[in-house]
Each structure stands twice: as C-alpha cells, then as structure tokens.
Amino acid sequence: MGSKFGTGSLNIVMTLLLCLILLLSMAPKLKAELTTVEHPLNSDGSISFLVVGDWGRRGLYNQSQVALQMGRIGEKLDINFVVSTGDNIYDSGMKSIDDPAFQLSFSNIYTSPSLQKPWYLVLGNHDYRGDVEAQLSPMLRSMDSRWICMRSFIVNTEIAELFFVDTTPFVDDYFLSPKGQTYDWGGVSPRESYIQTVLTDLEMGLRESRANWKIVVGHHTIKSASIHGNTKELESLLLPILEANNVDLYVNGHDHCLQHISTSQSPIQFLTSGGGSKAWRGYYNWTTTPEDMKFFYDGQGFMSVKITRTEMGIVFYDVSGNILHKWDTSKTSYTAFDVPL
C-alpha cells in the first residue's frame, strides 16, 4: 500500500519541523533566580582572590595578625576581591545595623590597601544567631563599600563563576536541637521550601554556566577531618548537584582550620578556609582513606586562588604568611567550542 502523504505534504511537515526547531533555539532560556554580580577580569585575562572564614572577633585570637598577612599576600598577588566563608561576626552575629561589631571586627581590622576590594560574604551559623537582615542590609555597604553579603548569589568573572550558597538552613540540628541558641529564621521559613528553592536555583545556575571554572562557596563543610566533620545534609542534598554539574572546588569554613581533601569518589576538591581567628581545636579524624587528605593544618590562616582560562592555583598560608600547601591544575577551555543551539 502506498503512502497517503504526497511529496508536497512531506515538504510541508519538514518545513514545520524546521520552523519549530528554529523557534525553540530562539526561545529565551530560563535564567537562574540567584542574583549575579559581574566582576571584570584583569587585563591579562586572569583573576585572583583570597579566602578567609570564621574571623569576626574584634581583632582577637590572631584575627589582626591574619589580616596583616592577608594584606601582604593580597598586594603581592594584586587580588581582585576577597571571599568570606561565613561566621563574619562572633559570637552571635550583629544585634542591629548600628552594632559596633561591624566596625570593630571588619572595617577596623582589614585596613591594608590591597584589601580595599569587594568582599563577597556568605552567612555562617553564628551570623544566624543575630539579626540576619542587619548583615544583609545595603546600609552596611554605605558604611563600608567593600561589604557584599547575600544569602545565595553568583559572582561571574567570565572565566570562573563563584556560586555562594546559604548552608546554615540545611543543618537539622539548628532546628531540632539548638542547644540553647536562638537563630533568626526570618526569611527562611518554611524551611523545606527555602532549601528546595536554593537547590533549584543553584542547579539552574550551574547548568547554564559557560564559565570554564565553577566554584561553590558555603559556610558548612561537605568533607572535613576537624571537629564538625562531614555535614550529612550537604552530602545528601548539595553534593550530587555539584558533581552532576562539573564543579571544580567546594570552599567552606565552619571548621577552624585549613584543609584540602580530594577523594577518588568525587572530582571536586574540598577546601576548608576557616582559620581567620580562633583555631587550634586539637582534633583530627580522617582514618578510613588517609590518602584523600592532601593537607591539614589545625591553626590560623587563609588561602589564595589564582585563575586563568586554562589554569588554577591555590595556596594556603599560616598566620605568619608562610606557604603551607600548594595545589595546581589545568584544563582545556571548552568555552571556545561551546556552540549554542
């Protein structure tokens, strides 16, 4: 039996299909809901920044000494910005916009010329013990123009995108057994909906990213040998999204130490920079796969990251500015071959 469609009908069908494909290719792609901050590259196409966490103690516990060395290394590297992994104000965040802790723990401490660059900050669990909206308020930026703090957001440098994730609401214990602490959950409730929105927006942002390097920054650990250990909620909810979207680094604070973990089960490098002030916990527990622990230092310090389109280098420093650990990697720039539909 012959086809009931003639040549003319087939041509019409093919034309309609081609039109449909063309329309789909022209349709606007869904954009991530996360706020994006654009940060320009250096003239040579590179970007460099420092990472510090768990620092806001009015200069005490060697915070001022760490800040001094950050200034010196920042000048040497000619950094573009600073990343904070949270716990920006101890012990219980800010009481209000007018809390002097902001000046005493931030503006009066990080005074080196090289540190007068944007600071991109996430919130830690100690920040949630105070007035969260105070830390998020644009009024702080009017007091100190460096301060750029949001719950979750993206910093786009073209060759690298940094995805900042608000991890505190993920942790069950803060809700189920807060141990006498009061947390400011305004803007988070209902919690399940908030977490799902963060994960959805992050996944969308990572999937849409055309940057050659993807870095995720959060306060809480995914993997750690120090006193807080692995955060099970992030292992189950966040880590699969990172692995599915070719994330290169997960950078966190929370544990007051410096560490670099690289496992055979994951392509992600897990980096802790939580040595901005109080440290020396005297705790280490990483026995099942000792080869995965590339570096651990139970003391104060910070780290630097330098990125070009095809190369990345990280360095950890102690409170005296001594280099403790280096790690470098490279990859082919796929953006040149990434042809959109």
Side-chain angles (χ1 to χ4, degrees):
M1 180 181 290
S3 170
K4 61 182 179 180
F5 295 108
T7 303
S9 297
L10 286 173
N11 287 338
I12 291 172
V13 171
M14 290 299 296
T15 300
L16 289 172
L17 285 173
L18 288 172
C19 289
L20 179 60
I21 292 171
L22 179 62
L23 287 171
L24 289 173
S25 70
M26 295 172 65
K29 293 183 174 62
L30 290 174
K31 295 298 180 185
E33 294 297 325
L34 297 177
T35 299
T36 299
V37 179
E38 303 290 342
H39 199 111
L41 293 171
N42 294 320
S43 58
D44 64 357
S46 69
I47 202 92
S48 63
F49 55 93
L50 302 182
V51 184
V52 66
D54 304 83
W55 44 267
R57 296 184 185 271
R58 304 181 181 226
L60 301 176
Y61 298 99
N62 282 340
Q63 183 194 358
S64 294
Q65 286 83 347
V66 172
L68 176 65
Q69 296 304 327
M70 286 175 62
R72 290 173 176 171
I73 300 300
E75 182 179 6
K76 185 182 299 184
L77 298 179
D78 192 20
I79 61 167
N80 300 90
F81 54 85
V82 179
V83 167
S84 170
T85 57
D87 279 358
N88 308 313
I89 307 292
Y90 281 98
D91 276 332
S92 299
M94 291 181 63
K95 295 179 175 64
S96 69
I97 292 290
D98 301 318
D99 193 333
F102 179 71
Q103 298 288 339
L104 296 173
S105 291
F106 178 63
S107 297
N108 295 355
I109 302 299
Y110 301 101
T111 56
S112 297
S114 69
L115 303 182
Q116 308 309 303
K117 305 289 177 65
W119 281 57
Y120 300 116
L121 309 99
V122 289
L123 299 170
N125 54 298
H126 282 268
D127 300 312
Y128 263 96
R129 295 180 187 178
D131 183 347
V132 170
E133 291 302 322
Q135 278 204 49
L136 299 175
S137 173
M139 291 189 65
L140 288 191
R141 195 171 185 190
S142 68
M143 299 179 198
D144 193 318
S145 62
R146 296 175 292 174
W147 187 269
I148 304 174
C149 183
M150 291 176 261
R151 292 186 192 267
S152 297
F153 62 104
I154 300 170
V155 174
N156 177 28
T157 72
E158 184 185 335
I159 58 173
E161 280 194 296
L162 288 78
F163 296 80
F164 291 76
V165 180
D166 184 22
T167 59
T168 299
F170 283 75
V171 181
D172 292 337
D173 279 351
Y174 301 143
F175 294 84
L176 303 178
S177 54
K179 299 177 182 177
Q181 298 295 336
T182 300
Y183 294 86
D184 177 7
W185 298 126
V188 170
S189 299
R191 180 193 176 204
E192 293 76 11
S193 175
Y194 179 83
I195 291 173
Q196 187 55 55
T197 298
V198 171
L199 293 173
T200 300
D201 289 348
L202 174 65
E203 184 171 23
M204 189 183 301
L206 288 170
R207 190 171 64 244
E208 293 173 349
S209 175
R210 293 295 177 263
N212 210 35
W213 304 96
K214 299 178 187 179
I215 300 170
V216 175
V217 179
H219 177 64
H220 291 78
T221 61
I222 291 181
K223 298 186 181 297
S224 174
S226 193
I227 196 165
H228 289 112
N230 298 1
T231 305
K232 65 182 187 302
E233 296 88 349
L234 297 187
E235 285 186 298
S236 62
L237 296 174
L238 185 62
L239 182 56
I241 293 174
L242 308 191
E243 291 179 334
N245 288 280
N246 304 309
V247 168
D248 298 285
L249 309 179
Y250 177 73
V251 185
N252 61 269
H254 198 42
D255 270 329
H256 299 181
C257 61
L258 307 174
Q259 57 185 330
H260 174 198
I261 297 170
S262 180
T263 74
S264 58
Q265 292 77 37
S266 176
I268 300 169
Q269 306 299 312
F270 300 95
L271 307 171
T272 297
S273 183
S277 58
K278 191 175 184 180
W280 303 109
R281 294 286 181 89
Y283 184 94
Y284 180 87
N285 182 21
W286 194 269
T287 56
T288 53
T289 54
E291 67 277 7
D292 293 345
M293 181 59 68
K294 307 306 179 185
F295 164 71
F296 182 90
Y297 179 68
D298 187 31
Q300 289 105 345
F302 58 100
M303 60 177 278
S304 68
V305 181
K306 182 169 183 178
I307 303 173
T308 67
R309 192 169 295 278
T310 58
E311 296 180 337
M312 173 189 288
I314 66 168
V315 181
F316 285 92
Y317 308 86
D318 68 10
V319 68
S320 300
N322 299 312
I323 293 176
L324 301 175
H325 174 69
K326 289 183 176 182
W327 179 80
D328 300 283
T329 190
S330 62
K331 66 165 71 170
T332 301
S333 174
Y334 64 79
T335 53
F337 307 100
D338 187 23
V339 180
L341 287 175

